[in-house]
């Protein structure tokens, strides 16, 4: 049986979201290198992949959304039945190569494509099918990059909206703008974006009530009034609804982030929980749009005191208590605090807080190892990116097969950039002895010592154990 065709807009992703951005047929037709020509059927379609086949019925091998390429053997006997099967399997378009079987596209095939609404493209003799597949792959990658950038920017803008004095309307307005549609919070009637037509408005209300009831689904989707509808359950039987004329691949991700923020902003919970959630968002995401310029310090702390009192002493409310310690953000340079060991990052701008968070954790490890109340990040280059104990354990495991003599030879050889004569002179050995020892190192380590990545890893390991 043919596979269930892919919906050209919704796909099979979460909440009806497209799996990947499609390549528009117009983009392929605009590629002069390919030289494709539109002959019949609609001129608009979204292509999710390319498949070539000369089978009379390739539909069992289609997922839906493909541009099917053929040289003409498949549709030769029954053009109408062939096109009907492709359309039923959800093919996006048919590409017909006019050589070597046919000198031109058969008229019966063009008529069948027009009848069944399947776009038909002529592929000139100079264009290999593989070139069409590569073009679709390239355009898909470009579309993914654009969509990822759009999603990231939308998430940053939502985080910034959540930090405003009146955050709920700000988040709703920002979400509506990011999706290019309308949004609503249920119950309460708060909304943003253009007014919906009655069929879409009524269908969205039904979705919101469905996900908002006890035991209801976490998300639900529908279509009505020319809009794509989605609803997301929030805490306390509340729900967020979205309505958009079109559906982009990143829309579900953006709406999910907004749902999390709105849950935090509307649910009844202790103030510390919102602060912890906001701190996690800032430290684990990209808070450039949500914070003043700074500089900011990330702080990791372990101790027996009250985390809220520690935050107050450091002049901040941005704290994230968790099992085993506390993470904080402050715009004041931290000092030692009674009852706590602190690891403090270097001063950082808002867009560098993820790196500052890692710096603070490594600094705390050093404070605990040295039993000092506070340790600050010290820039030790690449070697400082890994904890000392972890780096030493890795180095010993990596260099374990080598004897002390082989380690010494390998270190000298790497220090002299693989120079045999200079290494031999440094060690007082014959150059053939150096060659034999280095070759033995390569065998014992199972490494290609001509690979610069392998040399770099071994150099750091040798420096660590030394």
């Amino acid at each position: 049986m043919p596979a269930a065709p892919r919906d050209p807009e919704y796909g099979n992703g979460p909440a009806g979201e497209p799996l990947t951005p499609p390549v528009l047929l117009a983009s392929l037709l605009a590629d002069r290198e390919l030289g494709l020509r539109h002959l019949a059927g609609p001129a608009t379609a979204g292509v999710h992949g390319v498949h070539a086949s000369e089978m009379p019925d390739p539909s069992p091998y289609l997922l839906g959304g493909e541009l099917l390429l053929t040289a003409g053997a498949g549709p030769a006997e029954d053009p109408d039945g062939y096109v009907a099967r492709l359309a039923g399997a959800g093919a996006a378009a048919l590409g017909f190569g006019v050589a070597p079987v046919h000198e031109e596209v058969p008229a019966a095939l063009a008529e069948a494509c027009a009848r069944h609404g399947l776009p038909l493209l002529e592929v000139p003799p100079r264009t290999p099918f593989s070139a069409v597949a590569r073009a679709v792959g390239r355009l898909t990658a470009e579309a993914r990059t654009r969509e990822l950038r759009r999603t990231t920017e939308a998430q940053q803008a939502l985080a910034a909206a959540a930090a405003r004095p009146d955050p709920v309307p700000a988040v709703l307005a920002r979400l509506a703008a990011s999706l290019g549609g309308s949004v609503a919070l249920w119950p309460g009637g708060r909304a943003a974006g253009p007014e919906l037509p009655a069929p879409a408005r009524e269908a969205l209300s039904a979705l919101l009530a469905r996900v908002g009831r006890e035991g209801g689904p976490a998300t639900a989707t529908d279509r009505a009034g020319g809009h794509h509808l989605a609803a997301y359950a929030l805490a306390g039987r509340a729900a967020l609804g979205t309505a958009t004329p079109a559906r982009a691949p990143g829309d579900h991700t953006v709406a999910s982030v907004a749902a999390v923020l709105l849950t935090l902003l509307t649910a009844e919970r202790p103030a510390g929980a919102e602060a912890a959630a906001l701190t996690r968002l800032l430290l684990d995401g990209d808070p450039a749009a949500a914070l003043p310029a700074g500089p900011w310090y990330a702080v990791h702390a372990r101790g027996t005191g009250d985390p809220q009192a520690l935050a107050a002493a450091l002049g901040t409310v941005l704290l994230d208590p968790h099992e085993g310690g506390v993470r904080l953000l402050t715009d004041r340079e931290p000092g030692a605090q009674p009852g706590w060991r602190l690891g403090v990052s270097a001063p950082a701008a808002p867009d560098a807080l993820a790196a500052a968070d890692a710096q603070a954790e490594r600094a705390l490890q050093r404070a605990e190892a040295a039993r000092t109340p506070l340790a600050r990040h010290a820039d030790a280059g690449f070697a400082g990116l890994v904890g000392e104990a972890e780096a030493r354990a890795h180095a010993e495991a990596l260099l374990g097969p080598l004897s002390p003599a082989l380690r010494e030879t390998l270190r000298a050889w790497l220090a002299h950039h693989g120079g045999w004569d200079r290494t031999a002179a440094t060690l007082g050995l014959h150059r053939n002895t150096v060659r034999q020892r280095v070759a033995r190192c390569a065998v014992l380590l199972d490494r290609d010592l001509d690979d610069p990545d392998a040399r770099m890893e071994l150099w750091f390991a040798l420096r660590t154990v030394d």
Side-chain angles (χ1 to χ4, degrees), residues 58-162:
S59 60
Y61 304 95
L62 301 180
L63 294 173
E66 293 91 350
L67 167 60
L68 181 72
L69 300 176
T70 179
E77 297 295 329
D78 180 18
D80 189 79
Y82 178 85
V83 172
R85 289 188 291 272
L86 293 184
L94 175 64
F96 192 95
V98 294
V101 181
H102 295 269
E103 293 184 359
E104 60 181 15
V105 178
L109 183 64
E111 293 169 0
C113 286
R115 192 159 43 248
H116 293 283
L118 183 69
L120 175 63
L121 310 181
E122 179 187 270
V123 183
R126 63 177 176 81
T127 301
F129 285 178
S130 60
V132 179
R134 288 179 182 177
V136 170
R138 173 179 55 81
L139 291 169
T140 298
E142 292 174 357
R144 284 176 179 167
T145 299
R146 288 194 300 270
E147 189 59 29
L148 178 60
R149 185 180 300 114
R150 183 187 79 90
T151 302
T152 301
E153 291 173 352
Q155 291 173 335
Q156 293 172 3
L158 287 170

Side-chain angles (χ1 to χ4, degrees), residues 172 175 183-186 204 208 211 230-234 238-242 254-256 258-260 262:
L172 291 175
L175 178 61
V183 301
L185 195 60
W186 181 91
L204 183 59
L208 289 168
V211 301
Y232 302 80
L234 307 180
L240 168 68
T242 66
V254 173
S256 296
V260 171
L262 289 169

Side-chain angles (χ1 to χ4, degrees), residues 79-410:
D80 189 79
Y82 178 85
V83 172
R85 289 188 291 272
L86 293 184
L94 175 64
F96 192 95
V98 294
V101 181
H102 295 269
E103 293 184 359
E104 60 181 15
V105 178
L109 183 64
E111 293 169 0
C113 286
R115 192 159 43 248
H116 293 283
L118 183 69
L120 175 63
L121 310 181
E122 179 187 270
V123 183
R126 63 177 176 81
T127 301
F129 285 178
S130 60
V132 179
R134 288 179 182 177
V136 170
R138 173 179 55 81
L139 291 169
T140 298
E142 292 174 357
R144 284 176 179 167
T145 299
R146 288 194 300 270
E147 189 59 29
L148 178 60
R149 185 180 300 114
R150 183 187 79 90
T151 302
T152 301
E153 291 173 352
Q155 291 173 335
Q156 293 172 3
L158 287 170
R164 291 176 184 168
D166 196 4
V168 172
V171 169
L172 291 175
R174 184 65 261 171
L175 178 61
S178 296
L179 299 182
S182 303
V183 301
L185 195 60
W186 181 91
R190 283 179 287 187
E195 184 176 354
L196 294 174
R201 186 172 61 252
E202 293 169 2
L204 183 59
S205 297
L207 276 187
L208 289 168
R210 180 182 170 198
V211 301
R213 71 170 183 262
E214 185 175 359
T219 62
T221 61
D222 197 1
R223 297 190 197 185
H227 283 71
H228 302 275
L229 311 176
Y232 302 80
L234 307 180
R237 299 187 184 182
L240 168 68
T242 66
T244 56
R247 187 90 171 154
D251 285 357
H252 174 70
T253 300
V254 173
S256 296
V257 170
V260 171
L261 291 172
L262 289 169
T263 294
L264 295 172
L265 294 169
T266 59
E268 295 182 0
R269 60 181 68 229
E274 282 89 346
L278 179 58
T279 305
R280 284 193 293 273
L281 174 67
L282 296 173
L283 288 174
D284 296 331
D286 186 350
L291 288 176
W296 291 86
Y297 297 87
V299 180
H300 281 220
R302 290 191 182 95
T304 57
D306 178 8
Q308 295 286 347
L310 174 64
L314 297 179
T316 183
V317 296
L318 298 177
L319 73 155
D320 174 21
H322 58 87
E323 185 177 354
V326 184
R327 294 195 302 177
L328 306 98
L329 274 178
T330 178
D331 58 356
R332 302 180 188 178
E333 184 170 357
Q337 301 297 322
W340 293 93
R341 281 205 174 94
L342 305 183
V344 180
S345 73
D351 60 358
L353 289 183
D357 186 41
Q359 293 173 1
E361 174 60 24
R362 290 194 296 272
L364 177 58
Q365 291 173 1
R366 292 202 313 275
E368 293 188 317
R371 298 184 179 181
T372 60
L374 183 146
R376 300 184 187 276
H377 171 72
D379 187 3
F382 282 111
L385 297 178
V386 180
E388 182 179 352
E390 184 182 0
R392 180 170 293 278
H394 173 75
E396 291 290 0
L398 176 62
L399 300 172
L402 303 185
S403 67
L406 289 178
R407 290 189 185 189
E408 181 186 20
T409 302
L410 180 59

